[in-house]
Amino acid sequence: MGRLAGRVVLVSGAAGGQGTVTARRLVEEGARVVLGDIRPETKELADELGASALAVTLDVREPDAWEAAVARAVERWGKLDGLVNNAGVLHQAPLEETTVEDYRRVVDVNQLGVFLGMRAVVPALREAGGGTVVNIASVNATQGVPLLAAYCASKYAVLGMTKVAALELGRDSIRVNAVLPGVVSTDMTASMPERIARHLLDQVPAGRFGAPEEVAALTVFLTSGESSYCSGGSFVVDGGWTAG
């Protein structure tokens, strides 16, 4: 019997990188998972995970898409117990070369998407008697990084929203936490210029980048009853990068 047996969890950005690894771990721990994404690979992942998974088309920038995803979860399994707000995009450019369109694209996915997701799941979590929200932020929510103005801004906002939601929803037995990964080996980080990757690696005491599985393990913990007294927290998984 897994740590998440009987729980129903919605994961955004489930069709690639961190989201896929997280979805697999949730299923391994006994959860039934709603896989939300706009990419066609979502259906392939659902087929791989079998009866414990449901693929839904989810553009996190669209309120109606969130409402539909929650409705599908409740229709399929009778409830929704948790959300992993994982969808995210990265834009790298100097501040003066970042266009308004670039900035809005990052904020719409990373910031607005998190807000819409939390707002959409609250009624279902209340109906289930409580639940969990895990917002995937970044250590860039605590420090500036050159070339990442839009990304850092969006992740700082995620931390603020996490704290507000934890304060507002605690009496409903809804816990809200943020996971702050450092540099993790995914498709997103693979797009970094080599000189930037080397520079970042030099700053990590662990001497390596993180693995998606390590972030997923923390997400599972915060979704499970083992973290029952954790809410409003920011949990860093970065190999010691921000310790100094």
mmCIF file of all heavy atoms in Angstrom, residues 201-224:
data_model
loop_
_atom_site.group_PDB
_atom_site.id
_atom_site.type_symbol
_atom_site.label_atom_id
_atom_site.label_comp_id
_atom_site.label_asym_id
_atom_site.label_seq_id
_atom_site.Cartn_x
_atom_site.Cartn_y
_atom_site.Cartn_z
ATOM 1 N N LEU A 201 27.041 25.229 -12.208
ATOM 2 C CA LEU A 201 27.563 24.010 -11.597
ATOM 3 C C LEU A 201 28.678 24.316 -10.612
ATOM 4 O O LEU A 201 28.797 23.676 -9.560
ATOM 5 C CB LEU A 201 28.054 23.043 -12.681
ATOM 6 C CG LEU A 201 28.437 21.633 -12.217
ATOM 7 C CD1 LEU A 201 27.262 20.969 -11.516
ATOM 8 C CD2 LEU A 201 28.889 20.803 -13.408
ATOM 9 N N ASP A 202 29.485 25.309 -10.918
ATOM 10 C CA ASP A 202 30.579 25.695 -10.019
ATOM 11 C C ASP A 202 30.069 26.186 -8.672
ATOM 12 O O ASP A 202 30.815 26.188 -7.682
ATOM 13 C CB ASP A 202 31.429 26.796 -10.668
ATOM 14 C CG ASP A 202 32.295 26.279 -11.807
ATOM 15 O OD1 ASP A 202 32.485 25.045 -11.884
ATOM 16 O OD2 ASP A 202 32.757 27.103 -12.613
ATOM 17 N N GLN A 203 28.801 26.606 -8.611
ATOM 18 C CA GLN A 203 28.247 27.164 -7.378
ATOM 19 C C GLN A 203 27.499 26.141 -6.528
ATOM 20 O O GLN A 203 27.063 26.459 -5.417
ATOM 21 C CB GLN A 203 27.297 28.313 -7.719
ATOM 22 C CG GLN A 203 27.948 29.458 -8.474
ATOM 23 C CD GLN A 203 26.950 30.547 -8.808
ATOM 24 O OE1 GLN A 203 26.366 31.168 -7.931
ATOM 25 N NE2 GLN A 203 26.731 30.766 -10.093
ATOM 26 N N VAL A 204 27.347 24.923 -7.033
ATOM 27 C CA VAL A 204 26.571 23.899 -6.326
ATOM 28 C C VAL A 204 27.508 23.035 -5.485
ATOM 29 O O VAL A 204 28.328 22.295 -6.038
ATOM 30 C CB VAL A 204 25.777 23.024 -7.315
ATOM 31 C CG1 VAL A 204 24.993 21.944 -6.563
ATOM 32 C CG2 VAL A 204 24.828 23.881 -8.144
ATOM 33 N N PRO A 205 27.420 23.088 -4.159
ATOM 34 C CA PRO A 205 28.299 22.288 -3.322
ATOM 35 C C PRO A 205 28.240 20.787 -3.603
ATOM 36 O O PRO A 205 29.240 20.082 -3.442
ATOM 37 C CB PRO A 205 27.809 22.600 -1.895
ATOM 38 C CG PRO A 205 27.249 23.972 -1.995
ATOM 39 C CD PRO A 205 26.607 24.025 -3.352
ATOM 40 N N ALA A 206 27.070 20.303 -4.019
ATOM 41 C CA ALA A 206 26.941 18.876 -4.310
ATOM 42 C C ALA A 206 27.755 18.464 -5.527
ATOM 43 O O ALA A 206 27.980 17.264 -5.752
ATOM 44 C CB ALA A 206 25.472 18.504 -4.513
ATOM 45 N N GLY A 207 28.170 19.433 -6.350
ATOM 46 C CA GLY A 207 29.003 19.130 -7.502
ATOM 47 C C GLY A 207 28.277 18.560 -8.694
ATOM 48 O O GLY A 207 28.900 18.070 -9.639
ATOM 49 N N ARG A 208 26.965 18.637 -8.674
ATOM 50 C CA ARG A 208 26.172 18.111 -9.796
ATOM 51 C C ARG A 208 24.832 18.804 -9.810
ATOM 52 O O ARG A 208 24.418 19.417 -8.821
ATOM 53 C CB ARG A 208 25.957 16.599 -9.649
ATOM 54 C CG ARG A 208 25.137 16.215 -8.411
ATOM 55 C CD ARG A 208 24.837 14.737 -8.372
ATOM 56 N NE ARG A 208 24.112 14.350 -7.161
ATOM 57 C CZ ARG A 208 22.788 14.437 -7.008
ATOM 58 N NH1 ARG A 208 22.024 14.896 -7.992
ATOM 59 N NH2 ARG A 208 22.213 14.059 -5.875
ATOM 60 N N PHE A 209 24.135 18.703 -10.938
ATOM 61 C CA PHE A 209 22.770 19.170 -11.012
ATOM 62 C C PHE A 209 21.845 18.113 -10.407
ATOM 63 O O PHE A 209 22.200 16.936 -10.301
ATOM 64 C CB PHE A 209 22.368 19.464 -12.445
ATOM 65 C CG PHE A 209 23.087 20.637 -13.055
ATOM 66 C CD1 PHE A 209 23.258 20.728 -14.433
ATOM 67 C CD2 PHE A 209 23.593 21.652 -12.260
ATOM 68 C CE1 PHE A 209 23.914 21.810 -14.994
ATOM 69 C CE2 PHE A 209 24.252 22.739 -12.801
ATOM 70 C CZ PHE A 209 24.418 22.815 -14.179
ATOM 71 N N GLY A 210 20.661 18.550 -10.032
ATOM 72 C CA GLY A 210 19.706 17.627 -9.448
ATOM 73 C C GLY A 210 19.038 16.747 -10.489
ATOM 74 O O GLY A 210 19.073 17.010 -11.691
ATOM 75 N N ALA A 211 18.401 15.696 -10.002
ATOM 76 C CA ALA A 211 17.624 14.797 -10.852
ATOM 77 C C ALA A 211 16.141 15.048 -10.622
ATOM 78 O O ALA A 211 15.730 15.347 -9.490
ATOM 79 C CB ALA A 211 17.959 13.339 -10.532
ATOM 80 N N PRO A 212 15.317 14.926 -11.653
ATOM 81 C CA PRO A 212 13.871 15.127 -11.473
ATOM 82 C C PRO A 212 13.292 14.236 -10.378
ATOM 83 O O PRO A 212 12.358 14.638 -9.680
ATOM 84 C CB PRO A 212 13.293 14.784 -12.851
ATOM 85 C CG PRO A 212 14.418 15.024 -13.805
ATOM 86 C CD PRO A 212 15.670 14.657 -13.064
ATOM 87 N N GLU A 213 13.860 13.054 -10.231
ATOM 88 C CA GLU A 213 13.365 12.125 -9.210
ATOM 89 C C GLU A 213 13.518 12.701 -7.801
ATOM 90 O O GLU A 213 12.719 12.405 -6.903
ATOM 91 C CB GLU A 213 14.103 10.788 -9.311
ATOM 92 C CG GLU A 213 13.759 9.962 -10.530
ATOM 93 C CD GLU A 213 14.453 10.449 -11.807
ATOM 94 O OE1 GLU A 213 15.334 11.348 -11.708
ATOM 95 O OE2 GLU A 213 14.124 9.938 -12.888
ATOM 96 N N GLU A 214 14.558 13.511 -7.601
ATOM 97 C CA GLU A 214 14.781 14.099 -6.279
ATOM 98 C C GLU A 214 13.740 15.169 -5.965
ATOM 99 O O GLU A 214 13.299 15.312 -4.813
ATOM 100 C CB GLU A 214 16.196 14.659 -6.208
ATOM 101 C CG GLU A 214 17.249 13.555 -6.247
ATOM 102 C CD GLU A 214 18.660 14.064 -6.440
ATOM 103 O OE1 GLU A 214 18.872 14.872 -7.372
ATOM 104 O OE2 GLU A 214 19.554 13.650 -5.669
ATOM 105 N N VAL A 215 13.350 15.919 -6.968
ATOM 106 C CA VAL A 215 12.274 16.901 -6.782
ATOM 107 C C VAL A 215 10.937 16.185 -6.592
ATOM 108 O O VAL A 215 10.124 16.563 -5.745
ATOM 109 C CB VAL A 215 12.214 17.870 -7.974
ATOM 110 C CG1 VAL A 215 11.100 18.895 -7.774
ATOM 111 C CG2 VAL A 215 13.554 18.568 -8.165
ATOM 112 N N ALA A 216 10.719 15.129 -7.355
ATOM 113 C CA ALA A 216 9.477 14.370 -7.241
ATOM 114 C C ALA A 216 9.327 13.760 -5.855
ATOM 115 O O ALA A 216 8.215 13.713 -5.300
ATOM 116 C CB ALA A 216 9.429 13.282 -8.305
ATOM 117 N N ALA A 217 10.421 13.309 -5.269
ATOM 118 C CA ALA A 217 10.354 12.713 -3.933
ATOM 119 C C ALA A 217 9.868 13.729 -2.909
ATOM 120 O O ALA A 217 9.063 13.407 -2.021
ATOM 121 C CB ALA A 217 11.721 12.172 -3.537
ATOM 122 N N LEU A 218 10.336 14.957 -3.017
ATOM 123 C CA LEU A 218 9.891 16.008 -2.107
ATOM 124 C C LEU A 218 8.422 16.351 -2.350
ATOM 125 O O LEU A 218 7.652 16.575 -1.405
ATOM 126 C CB LEU A 218 10.769 17.243 -2.274
ATOM 127 C CG LEU A 218 10.465 18.442 -1.370
ATOM 128 C CD1 LEU A 218 10.462 18.053 0.100
ATOM 129 C CD2 LEU A 218 11.463 19.559 -1.641
ATOM 130 N N THR A 219 8.022 16.371 -3.604
ATOM 131 C CA THR A 219 6.622 16.643 -3.944
ATOM 132 C C THR A 219 5.702 15.574 -3.375
ATOM 133 O O THR A 219 4.624 15.883 -2.843
ATOM 134 C CB THR A 219 6.461 16.737 -5.473
ATOM 135 O OG1 THR A 219 7.326 17.763 -5.973
ATOM 136 C CG2 THR A 219 5.031 17.047 -5.860
ATOM 137 N N VAL A 220 6.110 14.321 -3.468
ATOM 138 C CA VAL A 220 5.324 13.227 -2.900
ATOM 139 C C VAL A 220 5.196 13.397 -1.391
ATOM 140 O O VAL A 220 4.109 13.227 -0.817
ATOM 141 C CB VAL A 220 5.957 11.865 -3.247
ATOM 142 C CG1 VAL A 220 5.344 10.744 -2.403
ATOM 143 C CG2 VAL A 220 5.770 11.565 -4.728
ATOM 144 N N PHE A 221 6.293 13.732 -0.733
ATOM 145 C CA PHE A 221 6.256 13.951 0.715
ATOM 146 C C PHE A 221 5.246 15.033 1.083
ATOM 147 O O PHE A 221 4.436 14.864 2.005
ATOM 148 C CB PHE A 221 7.652 14.340 1.202
ATOM 149 C CG PHE A 221 7.684 14.883 2.609
ATOM 150 C CD1 PHE A 221 7.486 14.043 3.699
ATOM 151 C CD2 PHE A 221 7.903 16.235 2.844
ATOM 152 C CE1 PHE A 221 7.502 14.539 5.002
ATOM 153 C CE2 PHE A 221 7.930 16.742 4.136
ATOM 154 C CZ PHE A 221 7.727 15.894 5.220
ATOM 155 N N LEU A 222 5.253 16.153 0.360
ATOM 156 C CA LEU A 222 4.353 17.258 0.675
ATOM 157 C C LEU A 222 2.906 16.962 0.298
ATOM 158 O O LEU A 222 1.984 17.618 0.791
ATOM 159 C CB LEU A 222 4.830 18.534 -0.026
ATOM 160 C CG LEU A 222 6.156 19.091 0.504
ATOM 161 C CD1 LEU A 222 6.640 20.234 -0.378
ATOM 162 C CD2 LEU A 222 6.017 19.540 1.954
ATOM 163 N N THR A 223 2.694 15.974 -0.558
ATOM 164 C CA THR A 223 1.351 15.554 -0.936
ATOM 165 C C THR A 223 0.821 14.494 0.019
ATOM 166 O O THR A 223 -0.386 14.289 0.118
ATOM 167 C CB THR A 223 1.350 15.017 -2.382
ATOM 168 O OG1 THR A 223 1.846 16.041 -3.267
ATOM 169 C CG2 THR A 223 -0.032 14.614 -2.859
ATOM 170 N N SER A 224 1.705 13.849 0.736
ATOM 171 C CA SER A 224 1.322 12.749 1.619
ATOM 172 C C SER A 224 1.025 13.230 3.032
ATOM 173 O O SER A 224 1.334 14.362 3.416
ATOM 174 C CB SER A 224 2.452 11.709 1.680
ATOM 175 O OG SER A 224 3.510 12.170 2.516
#
